[in-house]
């Protein structure tokens, strides 16, 4: 896990937490910090649903456990996030995998899922952004990683 500040910068999210290796379906799933970051964002974004997530997708996201281990519920939660995103951005790939951003916000006409997850947290918890470690449900391992990279 690391922080990325793409150039040119987007004013809505000038920096974001990026993963070092892929998480999810056919992902590396080799870093508990990366897996936990994805799980944490899915779960806390769903907990503060702003009304744009349908009931089925919301329930799938809420089933994600923040434990640093990628299993079927995490993969399904990633798919639910991507499905929500696809309703607003047709170029979104729904594959149950979160790949690291390769230096920017977008791949072709799509937005990296990790950027969408960060953006969701920033809009739902503006009082904490980017200090995700201040969220009361941030697990100790993720808290340490966030403090280290900030």
């Amino acid at each position: 896990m690391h922080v990325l500040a793409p150039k040119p910068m987007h004013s809505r999210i000038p920096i974001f937490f990026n993963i070092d290796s892929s998480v999810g379906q056919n992902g590396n799933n080799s870093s508990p910090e990366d897996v936990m970051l994805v799980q944490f964002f899915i779960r806390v974004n769903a907990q503060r649903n702003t009304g744009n997530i349908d009931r089925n997708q919301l329930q799938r996201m809420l089933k994600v456990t923040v434990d640093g281990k990628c299993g079927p519920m995490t993969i399904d939660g990633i798919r639910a996030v991507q499905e929500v995103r696809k309703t607003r951005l047709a170029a979104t790939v729904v594959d149950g995998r979160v790949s690291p951003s390769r230096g920017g916000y977008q791949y072709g006409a799509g937005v990296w899922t990790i950027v969408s997850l960060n953006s969701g947290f920033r809009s739902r918890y503006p009082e904490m952004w980017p200090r995700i470690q201040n969220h009361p449900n941030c697990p100790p391992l993720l808290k340490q990683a966030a403090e280290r990279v900030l």
Side-chain angles (χ1 to χ4, degrees), residues 7-126:
K7 301 289 185 217
M9 162 187 92
H10 190 288
S11 60
R12 179 161 157 67
I13 185 162
I15 66 167
F16 60 87
F17 292 93
N18 199 7
I19 52 178
D20 295 320
S21 62
S22 56
V23 173
Q25 183 75 42
N26 299 319
N28 290 335
N29 301 309
S30 57
S31 167
E33 288 176 0
D34 287 347
V35 174
M36 196 171 284
L37 178 68
V38 169
Q39 292 170 329
F40 173 74
F41 277 150
I42 292 170
R43 180 119 181 124
V44 300
N45 287 347
Q47 288 171 335
R48 196 176 269 187
N49 179 21
T50 56
N52 61 336
I53 304 171
D54 81 28
R55 182 175 167 84
N56 174 271
Q57 292 161 330
L58 181 63
Q59 291 305 313
R60 291 163 55 204
M61 290 178 210
L62 289 171
K63 287 181 181 176
V64 173
T65 302
V66 185
D67 61 6
K69 299 172 188 164
C70 186
M73 294 301 187
T74 298
I75 293 167
D76 192 50
I78 293 168
R79 284 186 192 283
V81 167
Q82 293 169 334
E83 290 166 6
V84 170
R85 186 74 184 147
K86 190 164 184 73
T87 64
R88 287 171 283 186
L89 184 62
T92 300
V93 174
V94 179
D95 60 1
R97 177 180 165 146
V98 180
S99 297
S101 164
R102 292 186 177 85
Y105 301 98
Q106 295 180 264
Y107 59 90
V111 173
W112 294 107
T113 301
I114 192 65
V115 173
S116 294
L117 290 169
N118 275 266
S119 182
F121 186 93
R122 184 177 187 271
S123 67
R124 288 170 174 85
Y125 301 92

